[in-house]
């Protein structure tokens, strides 16, 4: 998979991504990513890529032309079909189902907005998938873009270092498409600050352990995220 990242803050991606599962996946040849600094496509000597909003109001708006040219330049680097994605609070909320879909694509092009937003006309022209991370205010699309990359890359076959598949995760789909929270986990010591470990996990009975974990998953989902059980 090739991922192009268009941003005003290209330097923030490498340290985060290279430190985590995406870094290992890149070393294995499963993914490559390239950042493109939108400011390089400014068409004025001040390298200005934002301007005041028509109609007035606070903040600045990212201009069409630098975003458009950055997209065309990145896309010309590779001839494979690309899924364009813009991160915006107005987008569809990112879900595991969407990550699973995106993990099947050969190429993604991510546009991280900053300031008050991106001029609507270039969004219309690009016809991107518009994605949000959730209903809270961040200062730009960079962290959402990193979240998407992390979530997509770990789904690529071979990206996880251990035996268990990504399909076993909390939020992975069960046979019926269910999304469920994970059970609690424990490791040594057997007692910590007077707190023990559920006896059943020390029993060695793998069938009972599996049944207990399943019960815990359902009970915790009911208690904390009843909305997930409605589906
Ligand atoms: C007048 C209201 N504006 C600021 C309080 C709206 C606004 C503009 C730009 C809010 C956030 C942003 C910058 N955020 C993103 O670009 C963004 C985002 C987010 O803020 N939350 C969740 N997902 C995303 S994806 C991109």
């Amino acid at each position: 998979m090739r991922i192009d990242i268009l941003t005003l803050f290209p330097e923030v991606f490498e340290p985060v991504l290279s430190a985590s599962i995406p870094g290992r996946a890149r070393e294995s040849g499963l993914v490559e990513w390239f950042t493109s600094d939108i400011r390089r496509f400014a068409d004025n000597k001040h390298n200005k890529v934002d301007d005041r909003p028509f109609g007035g109001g606070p903040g600045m708006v990212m201009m069409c032309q630098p975003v458009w040219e950055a997209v065309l330049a990145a896309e010309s680097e590779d001839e494979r079909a690309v899924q364009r994605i813009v991160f915006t609070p107005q987008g569809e909320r990112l879900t595991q189902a969407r990550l699973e879909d995106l993990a099947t694509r050969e190429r993604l092009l991510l546009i991280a907005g900053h300031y008050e937003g991106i001029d609507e006309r270039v969004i219309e022209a690009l016809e991107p998938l518009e994605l949000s991370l959730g209903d809270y205010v961040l200062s730009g699309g960079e962290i959402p873009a990193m979240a998407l990359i992390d979530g997509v890359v770990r789904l690529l076959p071979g990206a996880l270092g251990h035996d268990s598949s990504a399909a076993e995760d909390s939020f992975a789909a069960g046979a019926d498409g269910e999304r469920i929270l994970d059970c609690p986990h424990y490791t040594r010591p057997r007692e910590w600050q007077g707190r023990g470990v559920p006896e059943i996990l020390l029993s060695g009975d793998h069938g009972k352990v599996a049944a207990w974990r399943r019960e815990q998953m359902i009970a915790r989902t009911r208690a904390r995220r009843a909305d997930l059980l409605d589906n």
Side-chain angles (χ1 to χ4, degrees), residues 21-220:
I21 284 171
R24 277 215 318 262
R26 177 171 60 184
E27 287 169 13
S28 312
L30 295 172
V31 64
E32 54 184 350
W33 60 79
F34 302 92
T35 54
S36 172
D37 184 352
I38 294 170
R39 199 173 296 284
R40 284 199 306 118
F41 297 88
D43 65 357
N44 54 81
K45 60 174 177 286
H46 309 290
N47 284 342
K48 188 176 158 68
V49 294
D50 61 330
D51 208 337
R52 293 151 65 199
F54 281 129
M60 299 290 273
V61 176
M62 282 175 70
M63 297 155 68
C64 291
Q65 171 270 328
V67 173
W68 179 252
E69 289 185 18
V71 169
L72 296 190
E75 290 185 353
S76 74
E77 293 290 315
D78 187 307
E79 62 192 2
R80 288 173 291 177
V82 62
Q83 173 65 59
R84 297 168 174 166
I85 297 170
V86 166
F87 292 96
T88 159
Q90 285 72 50
E92 161 193 312
R93 192 190 320 196
L94 184 60
T95 61
Q96 191 66 26
R98 176 61 75 182
L99 291 178
E100 287 165 6
D101 158 42
L102 295 173
T104 68
R105 312 300 180 91
E106 282 196 291
R107 263 199 97 179
L108 303 175
L109 181 137
L110 312 183
I111 304 169
H114 222 86
Y115 311 127
E116 207 48 42
I118 302 173
D119 190 314
E120 191 68 18
R121 295 167 297 180
V122 71
I123 298 176
E124 287 175 11
L126 290 169
E127 298 184 8
L129 177 61
E130 296 180 62
L131 293 178
S132 164
L133 214 55
D135 297 334
Y136 36 83
V137 179
L138 304 174
S139 54
E142 286 77 18
I143 286 170
M146 287 189 276
L148 180 143
I149 294 168
D150 189 82
V152 161
V153 169
R154 61 185 297 292
L155 292 174
L156 300 178
L160 295 185
H162 50 93
D163 300 338
S164 111
S165 76
E168 285 173 29
D169 288 359
S170 179
F171 286 107
D176 53 356
E178 70 188 322
R179 309 273 160 179
I180 192 167
L181 301 187
D182 203 359
C183 58
H185 301 283
Y186 303 87
T187 186
R188 292 188 293 176
R190 286 172 69 142
E191 189 176 306
W192 178 76
Q193 293 190 355
R195 297 169 191 269
V197 169
E199 274 301 322
I200 202 150
L201 297 179
L202 309 173
S203 70
D205 185 331
H206 298 303
K208 281 190 176 164
V209 166
W212 179 86
R213 286 180 169 158
R214 184 77 195 164
E215 281 166 30
Q216 289 290 312
M217 291 163 71
I218 294 165
R220 279 162 39 123

